[in-house]
Amino acid sequence: MNITVIGTGYVGLVTGACFAEMGNHVCCVDVDLQKVDRLRDGIIPIHEPGIEELVKTNQEEGRLSFTSSLAEGMADSSVYFIGVGTPPGEDGSADLQYVLQVAREIGQNLKDYGVIVDKSTVPVGTADRVREAVQAELDARGVDIDFDVVSNPEFLKEGAAVNDFMRPDRIVVGSDSARARELMHELYAPFNRNHERTIFMGVRDAEMTKYAANAMLATKISFMNEISNLCDRLDVDVEKVRVGIGSDSRIGYSFIYPGCGYGGSCFPKDVRALINMADACDFEPSVLKAVHARNEAQKHLLFEKIVCRFGADLSGLSFGLWGLAFKPDTDDMRDAPSIVLLEALIGAGANVKAYDPVAMDAAREFLPSSWFDTGRLSLAQHQYAALDQVDAMALVTEWKPFRHPDFDAMKRMMKQPVIFDGRNIYDMKTLKDSGFEYVGIGRRLN
C-alpha cells in the first residue's frame, strides 16, 4: 500500500518507518527543508532506540522516502496520516493550527478517494474540523471527491516507540465509514497475525480514548506521589507500600513508582488539554486538576528536600545532577523535572554540574544560555565527572548506568556523601553501608 505521513517527529517518523518495514511504500512529508535533507542523508532528528536502523534500511530498499512537498508526497497515495505537532496553548488547549493547515493542503491536492488519518493527539471533535477544512478546499476547487477522516491515535512510549508500534497492545481506529474501516484493517493486518488487536469505534470515541489513557496513567503516578508525601510525614517507606499494593492484580505495578514528577510531550500536555475540554463543556474536572496540581508540586519536591538539608541560601554550594531528559532512552526535555530543579538551584545561588547519557546536546539548546555563560551550569563529560567536589548529588532520571554506580568512587569525589534520589532507585542498606546520607521520595536514611 502507498502511504503518506505528514510530520517527521516522534509520531510521524516512527509511523512511517514502521509501515515501510512491513512492506508498504511510505513518503514522509515535512515543511522543514533542512530536516528533510538530513533524513535523506540518514541523520535522525530524534533519539529513539531502533529508529535509525529502520530508516536507513527502508530508504535503501526504496520503501521509505522524504520530501518537503505534500503534493509530491500525495501523488501515488490514498492514505494520509497527519502526525504534526499539537503544542499546548496558554490555556492548556491543544493548538490545532498545524493539523488544520495540513488538512487544507490535502484538500488542495486530493485527486481521488482517500482516507485522512488523524495520528496526532487531538481533542474530541477534531476529525469534524479536519473534514470541514478539506471539504472547504474541494468546494473552492469546484470538485466532488469522496474522502473519509479517521482517528487512529498513537500509543507510543518515548524510548520504546518502535517496539510499541511493531507489537501494539491495541490499535484503535475511529471511523463510521465501512470503506475506511476496511482499508485500515488491511493496512494493520500484518500487526494482527498473532491475534486481533484492532478495536473499531466511533471517531469521537477514538479521540477521547487517547486522552483518557494518558490521563489514567498520569493519575496513577500523581496518586502514588501523593501517597509518598504522606509516607514522608508518617515515617513510612513508600517502596514497601508500592510493592504491597502492586501485588494486587487490580492495581498492578505499572506507573506506581513515586518520583519527582512526570514530564515529556504527552502526559502534561494531554492532562491540561483534557481539563480545557472539560472547562469548555462547563464541567468541573476535579480529579484531572488534582492530578496536574500534584505533578506540578512534585517537581519542586527535590529542591524542597535540598533546602531542608542545606538551607534556603545555597550560595557557594555545588550540586551534581544525574539526568536531564524527562525519562530514560530519550533526549526529550519538554516539561522535564530537571528543568524545575535547575531553575530552583541556580536561583538559590548554587552551581550545578549535570550529566545525561543522550540529552546533553538537547540541554544546550533547551536551557537558558545565561546559565552556561555565567558558569552556574556546566555539562560534565561523564557521570562521575558531575560529582567532582560537589556537596550533594541529585538523581532525576533513572538511566540504567545510574542504577548501580561505584559508591566508593562517588564518596571519594564528593565533598559530602549526600544523595537526593528523585526516583527511589537506590537500596538504602547499600548506601548506609557505604556511609552515605540518603534522601528519597517517601523514604529517608540518615
Side-chain angles (χ1 to χ4, degrees):
M1 192 176 295
N2 293 329
I3 301 168
T4 304
V5 178
I6 303 101
T8 58
Y10 278 98
V11 175
L13 189 58
V14 171
T15 297
C18 289
F19 274 136
E21 179 71 6
M22 287 302 190
N24 299 286
H25 286 84
V26 182
C27 184
C28 291
V29 183
D30 202 292
V31 295
D32 187 332
L33 294 172
Q34 184 178 12
K35 182 190 267 190
V36 169
D37 287 340
R38 289 168 66 85
L39 283 165
R40 287 171 173 166
D41 291 336
I43 302 173
I44 309 302
I46 60 174
H47 178 86
E48 186 62 44
I51 189 64
E52 185 173 356
E53 182 180 351
L54 275 186
V55 170
K56 179 181 178 181
T57 299
N58 285 283
Q59 277 197 103
E60 291 175 349
E61 295 293 331
R63 293 188 298 266
L64 181 63
S65 61
F66 298 94
T67 181
S68 59
S69 168
L70 183 53
E72 178 185 333
M74 290 178 61
D76 301 312
S77 177
S78 58
V79 185
Y80 316 107
F81 282 86
I82 301 177
V84 296
T86 55
E90 291 185 5
D91 60 354
S93 62
D95 185 347
L96 296 178
Q97 63 172 311
Y98 305 115
V99 172
L100 296 178
Q101 180 179 331
V102 170
R104 287 189 289 269
E105 195 168 344
I106 290 175
Q108 293 164 10
N109 292 281
L110 193 65
K111 292 180 173 58
D112 298 296
Y113 172 78
V115 174
I116 302 164
V117 185
D118 285 333
K119 198 68 174 171
S120 302
T121 301
V122 293
V124 175
T126 297
D128 295 334
R129 297 183 63 182
V130 168
R131 186 179 295 107
E132 291 169 0
V134 174
Q135 189 60 58
E137 295 298 330
L138 294 177
D139 292 344
R141 291 168 55 195
V143 295
D144 184 14
I145 301 173
D146 287 337
F147 68 94
D148 286 305
V149 179
V150 168
S151 175
N152 175 218
E154 51 84 14
F155 297 95
L156 308 177
K157 299 184 295 291
E158 288 189 38
V162 171
N163 185 70
D164 287 346
F165 198 102
M166 300 300 284
R167 300 173 181 83
D169 294 323
R170 76 288 206 196
I171 301 165
V172 172
V173 177
S175 175
D176 300 318
S177 163
R179 187 177 183 183
R181 288 190 178 199
E182 182 179 349
L183 188 148
M184 294 296 289
H185 191 270
E186 178 186 349
L187 179 60
Y188 277 110
F191 302 90
N192 287 301
R193 291 198 65 189
N194 181 269
H195 64 276
E196 184 61 55
R197 295 178 172 89
T198 306
I199 304 170
F200 288 102
M201 58 183 69
V203 176
R204 297 171 74 89
D205 304 332
E207 291 171 335
M208 186 58 155
T209 296
K210 173 57 189 289
Y211 279 103
N214 278 354
M216 173 60 78
L217 298 176
T219 299
K220 291 184 72 174
I221 296 171
S222 282
F223 172 82
M224 202 63 200
N225 280 336
E226 189 139 304
I227 292 297
S228 74
N229 283 276
L230 186 57
C231 287
D232 249 344
R233 289 156 177 78
L234 296 176
D235 194 24
V236 173
D237 185 349
V238 72
E239 286 300 306
K240 299 294 192 297
V241 176
R242 178 185 65 79
V243 173
I245 67 172
S247 61
D248 187 328
S249 60
R250 297 169 300 174
I251 298 172
Y253 292 105
S254 298
F255 292 89
I256 60 169
Y257 289 87
C260 51
Y262 58 75
S265 63
C266 293
F267 289 3
K269 176 173 70 72
D270 293 352
V271 170
R272 290 195 295 264
L274 203 50
I275 290 171
N276 180 269
M277 279 186 264
D279 289 341
C281 296
D282 196 27
F283 174 76
E284 176 61 26
S286 304
V287 173
L288 293 171
K289 287 184 176 180
V291 168
H292 174 65
R294 166 48 53 206
N295 189 61
E296 291 300 294
Q298 201 73 12
K299 290 182 179 181
H300 294 273
L301 189 59
L302 270 185
F303 178 70
E304 292 169 2
K305 290 177 178 292
I306 289 171
V307 168
C308 285
R309 171 62 176 78
F310 290 101
D313 184 2
L314 302 179
S315 300
L317 297 179
S318 178
F319 293 85
L321 181 65
W322 278 7
L324 292 165
F326 86 94
K327 63 179 286 188
D329 295 319
T330 181
D331 61 351
D332 193 347
M333 289 190 61
R334 286 173 289 183
D335 272 311
S338 64
I339 298 173
V340 175
L341 180 58
L342 283 169
E343 288 176 342
L345 287 172
I346 292 171
N351 293 319
V352 182
K353 301 176 184 179
Y355 174 78
D356 188 284
V358 304
M360 305 286 265
D361 289 340
R364 291 185 181 92
E365 296 180 7
F366 204 88
L367 299 175
S369 59
S370 60
W371 291 357
F372 299 102
D373 296 340
T374 58
R376 304 299 298 280
L377 173 63
S378 60
L379 300 181
Q381 295 301 309
H382 190 275
Q383 67 187 72
Y384 294 107
L387 304 183
D388 187 30
Q389 294 300 298
V390 299
D391 294 280
M393 185 269 273
L395 181 138
V396 180
T397 315
E398 63 277 30
W399 284 93
K400 288 178 182 177
F402 300 162
R403 292 176 182 268
H404 294 284
D406 186 338
F407 288 115
D408 291 334
M410 291 170 63
K411 190 176 179 182
R412 289 193 299 269
M413 299 181 73
M414 299 169 68
K415 284 184 183 178
Q416 303 183 58
V418 183
I419 291 178
F420 294 89
D421 183 0
R423 298 299 176 184
N424 286 359
I425 67 173
Y426 295 130
D427 177 70
M428 289 198 294
K429 183 179 184 303
T430 300
L431 287 171
K432 182 178 181 180
D433 293 343
S434 299
F436 275 88
E437 180 181 341
Y438 173 86
V439 179
I441 305 296
R443 61 205 309 244
R444 176 188 297 271
L445 173 66
N446 294 314

